Amino acid sequence: MRDTLLIAVYAFVGAAATGLAGAALLRVVRRRSLTASMAVVAAVGVVAMLAGTLAVAWAMFLSPHDLKVVTTVVAMAAVVSLATALLLGRWVVARSRELTVAARSFGDGGEFAAPAAPATAELDSLSRELAATSAKLAESRERERALETSRRELVAWISHDLRTPLAGLRAMSEALEDGVAADPDRYLRQIRTEVERLNDMVGDLFELSRIHAGTLPLSYTRISLYDLVGDALAGADPLARELGVQLVGGRVEPLPVEVDPKEMSRVLGNLLVNAIRRTPADGTVAVAAERGTGGAVVLSVTDGCGGIPEEDLPRVFDTGWRGSHARTPPAGAGLGLAIVRGIVEAHQGRATVHNIPGGCRFEVVLPAAAS
């Protein structure tokens, strides 16, 4: 028993010394190729065995013949271990380099294509993560391009819409200043109208900037949809009468919702004005409010615009979108529907549109009020 304990102690001391030396060597080569680290690990295992054997032999527990046999066996094991470690290391390094080259492609703006050669479970997991990251980057680049296009269109349209009333205001003010205005009161009324139009446009821009910045303040209040829709219909009725459009709100259920009344009134107002302006005279704009699936509340505005081209449907709520020239309203900068979507999403809802026979239907889905 005592001899066995001494053999174990001498073997542990020899192996421990080798392990410490191996750890120091691994620290030195930690920034080098994985092949070098794997070779060190394989060498430590074999040399530790050899060191333990030599320590036991030094204590005269082994005969010279037995020591020679054990040393020869350990040497052959060392050769095989080092060769295996080098082959494995070179294979892993090669797969890592292939993965690096593939990752460089989507870093330069392309798509990530995983190497076809088999790899370890860790490298395969990394490859899947890189593929998912590449897809997210592609979506981000696409959104960025869409936002940049929308921004350029918005700047162009805003510049055009501002230039026209400003030119009229300058002309009318010069006429009043020079005393050549035939009807000064009419000029003053027109100036007031144009100023209000510009004020509304600036207000829309400010509202949209707060929505995009995520700083839109919301004061939630429990309110009935019946009251909310009734106020919106009353506000849009003068425009509907002027354009000869009939407003219908017979399918409005008195469902409770928790919303910001001011902002949600703006949503309904924008949808109603948009629908009225695009519905021909003697047409009908219908408003409905009903319970949807999952307890949600669905507000809808249906018009008689004749429908929206299918290719334009995904862009309806984009900033500055106005569609074809025939559908361009006489005023505004194409911000109304973008504001609608922003306000609805700030309420954790969603805004959608789809064509129906003879027109289109805008829907606003809001979460149900808490019981």
Side-chain angles (χ1 to χ4, degrees):
M1 183 64 182
R2 182 174 177 276
D3 292 342
T4 302
L5 181 60
L6 288 175
I7 291 173
V9 170
Y10 280 108
F12 174 78
V13 170
T18 304
L20 292 175
L25 186 57
L26 282 175
R27 183 176 179 82
V28 172
V29 302
R30 67 185 184 279
R31 297 184 183 276
R32 297 183 179 274
S33 171
L34 180 64
T35 304
S37 298
M38 295 187 70
V40 171
V41 171
V44 166
V46 176
V47 174
M49 182 187 299
L50 181 60
T53 303
L54 292 177
V56 172
W58 176 78
M60 301 184 67
F61 288 100
L62 287 180
S63 65
H65 177 268
D66 292 341
L67 178 61
K68 182 178 179 181
V69 171
V70 171
T71 304
T72 304
V73 172
V74 171
M76 294 301 101
V79 172
V80 175
S81 298
L82 289 175
T84 303
L86 290 174
L87 288 175
L88 179 59
R90 291 178 62 86
W91 181 79
V92 173
V93 168
R95 300 292 82 77
S96 300
R97 288 175 179 171
E98 292 176 359
L99 196 58
T100 301
V101 173
R104 189 179 297 124
S105 63
F106 82 84
D108 295 335
E111 295 184 358
F112 175 78
T120 64
E122 291 78 9
L123 291 178
D124 187 59
S125 176
L126 177 59
S127 180
R128 289 194 299 269
E129 289 296 327
L130 288 174
T133 303
S134 176
K136 292 178 181 178
L137 285 175
E139 293 176 2
S140 298
R141 284 192 290 265
E142 187 62 31
R143 285 196 300 269
E144 184 179 353
R145 282 192 290 266
L147 288 174
E148 179 62 19
T149 301
S150 177
R151 185 191 66 81
R152 290 179 180 177
E153 292 176 351
L154 176 62
V155 170
W157 287 330
I158 288 292
S159 300
H160 176 271
D161 288 340
L162 289 176
R163 187 181 296 114
T164 301
L166 287 175
L169 287 171
R170 183 172 64 179
M172 288 185 286
S173 63
E174 289 175 353
L176 290 172
E177 184 179 7
D178 295 340
V180 297
D183 187 354
D185 290 338
R186 183 176 68 85
Y187 274 49
L188 290 174
R189 288 194 298 270
Q190 185 63 30
I191 288 175
R192 180 180 179 86
T193 300
E194 294 297 337
V195 169
E196 289 179 350
R197 177 186 171 190
L198 290 173
N199 182 68
D200 291 342
M201 193 180 302
V202 172
D204 285 347
L205 285 171
F206 180 67
E207 183 85 351
L208 195 62
S209 68
R210 291 196 300 176
I211 290 172
H212 287 170
T215 58
L216 181 67
L218 296 176
S219 299
Y220 286 93
T221 302
R222 192 180 184 90
I223 187 173
S224 171
L225 280 181
Y226 189 85
D227 297 334
L228 195 64
V229 173
D231 293 342
L233 289 174
D237 187 63
L239 178 63
R241 290 179 180 273
E242 178 185 345
L243 299 180
V245 176
Q246 182 182 6
L247 286 178
V248 178
R251 294 175 50 213
V252 179
E253 299 180 20
L255 300 172
V257 289
E258 291 185 0
V259 296
D260 186 315
K262 178 183 176 182
E263 296 298 339
M264 198 52 60
S265 294
R266 183 164 193 166
V267 167
L268 284 174
N270 286 358
L271 290 177
L272 285 171
V273 169
N274 181 73
I276 292 169
R277 284 178 173 166
R278 287 164 169 76
T279 299
D282 299 327
T284 300
V285 172
V287 183
E290 53 197 352
R291 184 80 65 182
T293 58
V297 175
V298 181
L299 276 167
S300 64
V301 176
T302 305
D303 61 32
C305 67
I308 300 173
E310 292 294 329
E311 63 272 14
D312 286 342
L313 281 176
R315 295 198 59 201
V316 167
F317 292 100
D318 288 353
T319 302
W321 182 87
R322 299 193 202 181
S324 64
H325 178 72
R327 290 176 52 84
T328 301
L335 304 180
L337 293 180
I339 291 174
V340 165
R341 181 177 64 178
I343 294 175
V344 171
E345 290 180 351
H347 283 81
Q348 308 303 315
R350 67 179 186 277
T352 60
V353 60
H354 60 271
N355 287 323
I356 60 172
C360 57
R361 176 185 174 97
F362 287 84
E363 290 187 350
V364 172
V365 181
L366 298 171
S371 302

